[in-house]
Amino acid sequence: METLITQYSETIRHAAETATPLCVRGSGSKDFYGGEAVGAAFDVSGHKGILTYEPSELVLTARGGTPLEEIEALLAQNGQMLAFEPPHFGPGATLGGCVATGLSGPRRAYSGAVRDFVLGVRMIDGRGDDLRFGGQVMKNVAGYDVSRLMAGSLGTLGVLLEVSLKVLPRPAEELTLRLEMDARHAIDTMNRWAGLPLPLSATAYHDGVLTLRLSGAESAVAAAHVKLGGETVANGPAFWHGLREQTTAFFRPDAPLWRLSLPSATPPLEVSGRQLIEWGGALRWLSTDQKPDAVRDTASRAGGHATLFRANNGARREVFQPLAPAVLALHQRLKNAFDPHGIFNPGKLFTES
Amino acid sequence: MPHPELLSRLRTFLPEEAILHQREDVKPYESDGLTAYRQTPMLVVIPQTEDQVRNILKLCHELGVPVVARGSGTGLSGGALPLADGILLSLARFQQIISIDPLARTARVQPGVRNLAISQAAAPHGLYYAPDPSSQIACSIGGNVAENSGGVHCLKYGLTVHNILRIRALTIEGEILEIGSEALDSPGYDLLALLTGSEGMLAVITEITVKLLPKPERAQVVLAAFDDIEKAGAAVGNIIAAGIIPAGLEMMDRLAIAAAEAYVHAGYPLDAEAILLCELDGTNEEVSEEIMKVRAILQSSGATELRTAQDEAQRLKFWAGRKAAFPAVGRISPDYYCMDGTIPRRQLPYVLTRIRELSLEYGLAVANVFHAGDGNLHPLILYDANQPGQLEKTEAFGAKILALCVEVGGTITGEHGVGVEKLGGMCVQFGSKELDLLHAVKAAFDEQGLLNPGKAVPTLHRCAELGAMHVHHGELKFPELPRF
């Protein structure tokens, strides 16, 4: 694997010298996400394998190209999990891609996002240098938190060679419940219940039904069920899996799919299109043919932002909410610090010049 | 002697009482919580509005004057140590809790608000702010963000970075940055993560939105005594391997137990080599179920004694000893030096053995207090600053402990920050290329290096001078630097 790293460094140095953009890519399961790909395909999925895993330390370190499936299977054997429930969106989804896209699943509002679990990285920057930041311990404040910065950076800062993650025990018991109510009432309920000591681990609302998941000690889940009421959903895991992987009917590609990240108590959005709410109200999926500006405007008026998540064959320009000028300038300077020749995934996350 | 133009221009937008420049007025600001380092600042400014902060920063940028921001000044690494030719920017007057939103479970606060004050203000809604550094009655939330502060409940509830949503900050050029939002994520890079723990080097925070959590229905603590510190360490691993994440999991060694017991009479067993305090919180049912499991694990891990707090008063008593461990050690020794390394937990027996050996070698006693759940070790080296050479010896001993933490795969600082104190340790932990990149990150925010210069990230020359270099992976660090 060290040979592979040397090869990657050489590819990057050569690209830097010739000012050739590289499109950094793992399995390609999330190719649809972010700005249009530019540059020569740079496949880094070959750098794979789990390096260290000690269940009692709650830490796993693996190479960037390691399939998420492999990591999740090993964790499951040891009664543990990736608590941010990363969506795969394809069979070979890699750890590197998971961290680079920074996408988290149904448990996010209750356990945290990818960035909350990243402890350390080994990466190659735009000079071809092999660097390490963070570590394999849970508390570490030495140096700026470069490893968390990598989460969601869409490969624009460097190639992730290794990632160390905090992992958590799987809950002893999980139960999925459904309650019928309107959207306004559902948003209020999700927020109120999140403010009570209840073992909530996921919530979703669509089409008059609030679905929620309780996770924890058996007795705690049973007691919360009694408190909250609701009807038990027979195949709870399948429901949450469908939501995480966007395989349920709601996600049928009949219009562009927007992801609106909003303050959780934002009232139901008065917009045309189909909506599905997750994360206790903080995530709103919107399938709509509305103009991008109108969707972004809706999001920013509510204090959040909108992402054109799946363009469904439409144009993928300005996928993300534009950054304020001072913040954009900072992004450009940071990008330059990591990738002075601007070779990694140009334009994938923001306008670089 | 204050810069003459600086003073006269500050007076154009700051009231007289917001500027301290007489020696006797600035002297009290000479150190933060790490009093071994002292430096009188050129002048101290205590603004009250964001606009004033903005004008101060713009002026310093224009005149090339360095700025050190400070909240309550309780930090333990000298991160808010003033500079002789710089301004100390106190944010102590930014004390307002702007709003609390009980439904969304957030609080918008100014940076000078005390950590504990947030939880107190949120309490009527059944909510609290989770990170609880030991200085929480005094430390400010702005300082917590700058240091990414932890506390005894980190394993379950995370650090500051996991518990804030948004900050508003000013660059040295006086640009306003809105970072994060009241939503769970933001477009672009995760600048919220980058700024958290950046030790005042990148921007000055003027407002913070924190997350509030529901107060657990119940908390319960078990105290376990061990006749062997290795058994106590193994017990920690066994609890976590059983799928339990305690709210707090703390360990103390014999010397720390003795000091704490003499000070607060918590009822700790004095014949134990180590004690563990394991706190479980959650719903009533959950705690009842887990407490039985934890007791069984501790028993089978070889605990010589087990006590479950019978009521809230006893729970607080169990904690009182741990929480008073630092001052308790302060009573048995003229001075102590607190270390803050983090290690992979499985390395605990080896690290403790090495610390014992080093303790004999240096002739300085060590009391160990340990956030056992997350591997954050606080060895307290006992010394007497009045004895010539003891501080230097202590620092050398401390540096060895930090190098040991790095050697076993850990870090030189878990929660106290690098500040000025651990600059040498940074040279051990990072290579020159990593340090170069950290400097480049700093320059992306602050090209002239005016915000808290000289802290957190050492220059390559300093690393070379300290000689604190490791031959890592067979490569020599800083090959570009001359050696004499």
Side-chain angles (χ1 to χ4, degrees), chain B residues 127-422:
Chain B
L127 302 170
Y128 77 113
Y129 175 65
D132 57 345
S134 55
S135 55
Q136 71 175 155
I137 53 163
C139 63
S140 69
I141 186 70
N144 288 178
V145 175
E147 300 293 321
N148 192 14
S149 305
V152 298
H153 293 100
C154 295
L155 179 65
K156 186 163 178 180
Y157 296 106
L159 306 154
T160 304
V161 71
H162 302 109
N163 288 280
I164 59 173
L165 286 169
R166 169 192 156 267
I167 56 181
R168 185 174 160 93
L170 289 168
T171 65
I172 184 69
E173 290 165 317
E175 288 267 22
I176 293 173
L177 301 175
E178 278 284 349
I179 293 175
S181 72
E182 269 142 48
L184 291 176
D185 47 42
S186 299
Y189 296 136
D190 195 336
L191 298 182
L192 192 62
L194 188 65
L195 278 160
T196 308
S198 63
E199 303 198 19
M201 306 275 291
L202 305 182
V204 175
I205 297 163
T206 56
E207 196 182 299
I208 302 152
T209 302
V210 304
K211 284 186 206 171
L212 301 173
L213 298 182
K215 264 206 220 143
E217 203 167 74
R218 181 175 159 209
Q220 178 69 280
V221 68
V222 184
L223 184 155
F226 291 85
D227 57 9
D228 175 358
I229 201 154
E230 278 195 37
K231 286 187 198 161
V236 171
N238 294 340
I239 290 171
I240 288 164
I244 295 167
I245 301 292
L249 189 51
E250 297 286 310
M251 192 192 291
M252 291 164 76
D253 75 355
R254 194 180 186 100
L255 186 53
I257 297 167
E261 187 54 28
Y263 185 34
V264 296
H265 313 292
Y268 290 167
L270 290 169
D271 55 346
E273 283 303 317
I275 60 166
L276 276 184
L277 288 172
C278 178
E279 178 157 293
L280 299 158
D281 71 9
T283 64
N284 210 356
E285 301 80 15
E286 205 170 12
V287 173
S288 300
E289 195 174 320
E290 288 190 340
I291 213 98
M292 298 314 290
K293 282 193 197 160
V294 163
R295 284 186 63 101
I297 295 165
L298 290 167
Q299 197 90 59
S300 64
S301 304
T304 52
E305 193 188 338
L306 274 181
R307 293 185 217 159
T308 304
Q310 292 308 307
D311 49 33
E312 187 62 10
Q314 200 177 11
R315 184 180 81 86
L316 296 176
K317 204 168 167 190
F318 282 180
W319 276 112
R322 166 60 189 90
K323 289 194 170 166
F326 289 17
V329 168
R331 288 172 80 238
I332 60 166
S333 172
D335 299 282
Y336 68 85
Y337 191 64
C338 174
M339 312 301 302
D340 174 45
T342 305
I343 56 169
R345 240 182 303 97
R346 63 180 178 280
Q347 300 285 0
L348 182 65
Y350 170 70
V351 169
L352 289 178
T353 306
R354 279 295 293 142
I355 290 177
R356 240 187 329 258
E357 287 166 9
L358 288 165
S359 163
L360 291 173
E361 195 181 313
Y362 283 89
L364 295 167
V366 178
N368 283 295
V369 179
F370 190 36
H371 299 304
D374 44 35
N376 190 197
L377 195 61
H378 291 315
L380 304 172
I381 305 174
L382 279 51
Y383 74 103
D384 182 354
N386 287 327
Q387 291 201 28
Q390 274 220 350
L391 175 62
E392 293 70 26
K393 210 157 89 170
T394 302
E395 286 183 328
F397 181 4
K400 282 261 173 76
I401 294 178
L402 295 186
L404 176 63
C405 292
V406 175
E407 178 203 319
V408 300
T411 176
I412 57 167
T413 175
E415 57 183 2
H416 295 171
V418 173
V420 288
E421 185 206 15
K422 301 182 200 80

Side-chain angles (χ1 to χ4, degrees), chain A residues 176-243:
Chain A
T176 299
L177 301 172
R178 50 172 281 154
L179 297 100
E180 287 182 21
M181 60 182 77
D182 65 28
R184 189 167 295 276
H185 189 196
I187 291 168
D188 185 62
T189 302
M190 288 188 278
N191 278 283
R192 276 190 300 107
W193 286 355
L196 298 173
L198 293 166
L200 277 176
S201 73
T203 45
Y205 177 82
H206 178 54
D207 225 1
V209 178
L210 172 64
T211 310
L212 55 94
R213 184 175 62 189
L214 302 170
S215 305
E218 219 172 296
S219 53
V221 169
H225 186 190
V226 172
K227 229 176 273 179
L228 305 181
E231 182 192 327
T232 305
V233 173
N235 198 347
F239 174 84
W240 299 109
H241 185 268
L243 205 54

Side-chain angles (χ1 to χ4, degrees), chain A residues 13 52 54-58 78-80 108-109 112 115-117 123 125 127 129-146 148-149 151-154 156-157 166-170 172 187-188 190-199 215-220 223-224 227 259 261-265 279-280 282-283 303-305 320-323 326-327 329-335 337-338 349-350 352, chain B residues 101 103-105 125-127 147-148 150-151 154-156 159 161-162 164 171 173 175-179 181-194 196-199 201-202 211 214-217 237-238 240-241 243-245 282-283 285-286 289-290 293 340 342-347 371 373-374 376 409-418 426 429-430 433-434 437-445 456-457 472-473:
Chain A
R13 286 203 187 101
T52 56
E54 191 88 36
S56 71
E57 296 279 343
L58 301 176
N78 290 278
Q80 296 186 338
R108 192 270 173 254
R115 57 89 90 168
D116 293 310
F117 292 88
M123 57 176 281
D125 72 1
R127 301 166 189 84
D129 287 338
D130 178 355
L131 308 168
R132 288 170 194 266
F133 294 97
Q136 300 186 24
V137 288
M138 284 177 210
K139 280 164 93 177
N140 185 354
V141 292
Y144 307 124
D145 202 342
V146 171
R148 285 190 215 284
L149 183 67
S153 63
L154 277 175
T156 59
L157 299 176
K166 177 179 176 178
V167 300
L168 284 180
R170 297 178 85 82
I187 291 168
D188 185 62
M190 288 188 278
N191 278 283
R192 276 190 300 107
W193 286 355
L196 298 173
L198 293 166
S215 305
E218 219 172 296
S219 53
K227 229 176 273 179
R259 174 190 187 277
S261 179
L262 307 177
S264 63
W279 296 3
L283 182 61
H305 65 100
F320 299 103
Q321 194 101 9
L323 302 169
V327 175
L330 203 48
H331 274 66
Q332 288 160 341
R333 292 197 298 270
L334 269 176
K335 163 81 175 168
F338 284 85
L349 186 65
F350 62 95
E352 284 162 27
Chain B
D101 183 339
L103 186 61
R105 290 147 282 120
H125 308 290
L127 302 170
E147 300 293 321
N148 192 14
C154 295
L155 179 65
K156 186 163 178 180
L159 306 154
V161 71
H162 302 109
I164 59 173
T171 65
E173 290 165 317
E175 288 267 22
I176 293 173
L177 301 175
E178 278 284 349
I179 293 175
S181 72
E182 269 142 48
L184 291 176
D185 47 42
S186 299
Y189 296 136
D190 195 336
L191 298 182
L192 192 62
L194 188 65
T196 308
S198 63
E199 303 198 19
M201 306 275 291
L202 305 182
K211 284 186 206 171
K215 264 206 220 143
E217 203 167 74
N238 294 340
I240 288 164
I244 295 167
I245 301 292
T283 64
E285 301 80 15
E286 205 170 12
E289 195 174 320
E290 288 190 340
K293 282 193 197 160
D340 174 45
T342 305
I343 56 169
R345 240 182 303 97
R346 63 180 178 280
Q347 300 285 0
H371 299 304
D374 44 35
N376 190 197
T411 176
I412 57 167
T413 175
E415 57 183 2
H416 295 171
V418 173
M426 286 292 284
Q429 188 162 334
F430 291 99
K433 292 201 165 122
E434 281 87 356
L437 188 54
L438 295 177
H439 285 298
V441 168
K442 160 82 172 158
F445 283 82
V457 186
H472 185 63
H473 296 315

Side-chain angles (χ1 to χ4, degrees), chain A residues 280-300:
Chain A
L283 182 61
R284 315 277 171 106
W285 296 104
L286 174 64
S287 173
T288 186
D289 285 313
Q290 272 195 70
K291 290 217 163 65
D293 285 349
V295 180
R296 288 198 188 98
D297 193 45
T298 302
S300 59

Side-chain angles (χ1 to χ4, degrees), chain A residues 5-351:
Chain A
I5 294 172
T6 313
Q7 279 175 26
Y8 290 171
S9 286
E10 278 166 13
T11 304
I12 291 165
R13 286 203 187 101
H14 183 256
E17 278 160 24
T18 55
T20 318
L22 295 175
C23 171
V24 188
R25 195 162 178 269
S27 76
S29 61
K30 298 173 191 71
D31 274 350
F32 66 86
Y33 182 64
E36 209 73 65
V38 175
F42 181 26
D43 180 353
V44 292
S45 62
H47 188 252
K48 58 178 140 189
I50 294 168
L51 294 166
T52 56
Y53 172 49
E54 191 88 36
S56 71
E57 296 279 343
L58 301 176
V59 177
L60 177 141
T61 303
R63 296 194 180 98
T66 314
L68 278 179
E69 239 169 20
E70 186 183 329
I71 293 171
E72 287 173 335
L74 178 66
L75 291 172
Q77 278 168 30
N78 290 278
Q80 296 186 338
M81 63 177 182
L82 297 176
F84 50 93
E85 296 187 324
H88 292 212
F89 295 142
T94 64
L95 172 62
C98 155
V99 174
T101 53
L103 298 172
S104 307
R107 206 179 294 264
R108 192 270 173 254
Y110 307 92
S111 292
V114 186
R115 57 89 90 168
D116 293 310
F117 292 88
V118 170
L119 300 176
V121 297
R122 179 179 176 188
M123 57 176 281
I124 311 182
D125 72 1
R127 301 166 189 84
D129 287 338
D130 178 355
L131 308 168
R132 288 170 194 266
F133 294 97
Q136 300 186 24
V137 288
M138 284 177 210
K139 280 164 93 177
N140 185 354
V141 292
Y144 307 124
D145 202 342
V146 171
S147 25
R148 285 190 215 284
L149 183 67
M150 297 304 285
S153 63
L154 277 175
T156 59
L157 299 176
V159 173
L160 286 168
L161 291 175
E162 295 171 14
V163 182
S164 295
L165 293 172
K166 177 179 176 178
V167 300
L168 284 180
R170 297 178 85 82
E173 176 72 15
E174 289 203 318
L175 179 68
T176 299
L177 301 172
R178 50 172 281 154
L179 297 100
E180 287 182 21
M181 60 182 77
D182 65 28
R184 189 167 295 276
H185 189 196
I187 291 168
D188 185 62
T189 302
M190 288 188 278
N191 278 283
R192 276 190 300 107
W193 286 355
L196 298 173
L198 293 166
L200 277 176
S201 73
T203 45
Y205 177 82
H206 178 54
D207 225 1
V209 178
L210 172 64
T211 310
L212 55 94
R213 184 175 62 189
L214 302 170
S215 305
E218 219 172 296
S219 53
V221 169
H225 186 190
V226 172
K227 229 176 273 179
L228 305 181
E231 182 192 327
T232 305
V233 173
N235 198 347
F239 174 84
W240 299 109
H241 185 268
L243 205 54
R244 187 186 84 179
E245 298 303 333
Q246 301 191 340
T247 51
T248 56
F250 173 83
F251 294 99
R252 66 182 181 270
D254 53 3
L257 178 70
W258 288 84
R259 174 190 187 277
L260 279 70
S261 179
L262 307 177
S264 63
T266 307
L269 301 174
E270 307 287 341
V271 286
S272 65
R274 298 180 295 112
Q275 288 183 54
L276 185 147
I277 306 175
E278 276 195 85
W279 296 3
L283 182 61
R284 315 277 171 106
W285 296 104
L286 174 64
S287 173
T288 186
D289 285 313
Q290 272 195 70
K291 290 217 163 65
D293 285 349
V295 180
R296 288 198 188 98
D297 193 45
T298 302
S300 59
R301 270 188 285 118
H305 65 100
T307 304
L308 176 57
F309 198 75
R310 291 183 194 262
N312 292 329
N313 302 324
R316 276 162 60 189
R317 278 188 302 274
E318 293 196 19
V319 167
F320 299 103
Q321 194 101 9
L323 302 169
V327 175
L328 176 62
L330 203 48
H331 274 66
Q332 288 160 341
R333 292 197 298 270
L334 269 176
K335 163 81 175 168
N336 195 47
F338 284 85
D339 177 20
H341 308 283
I343 54 169
F344 292 133
N345 289 354
K348 190 100 183 151
L349 186 65
F350 62 95
T351 318

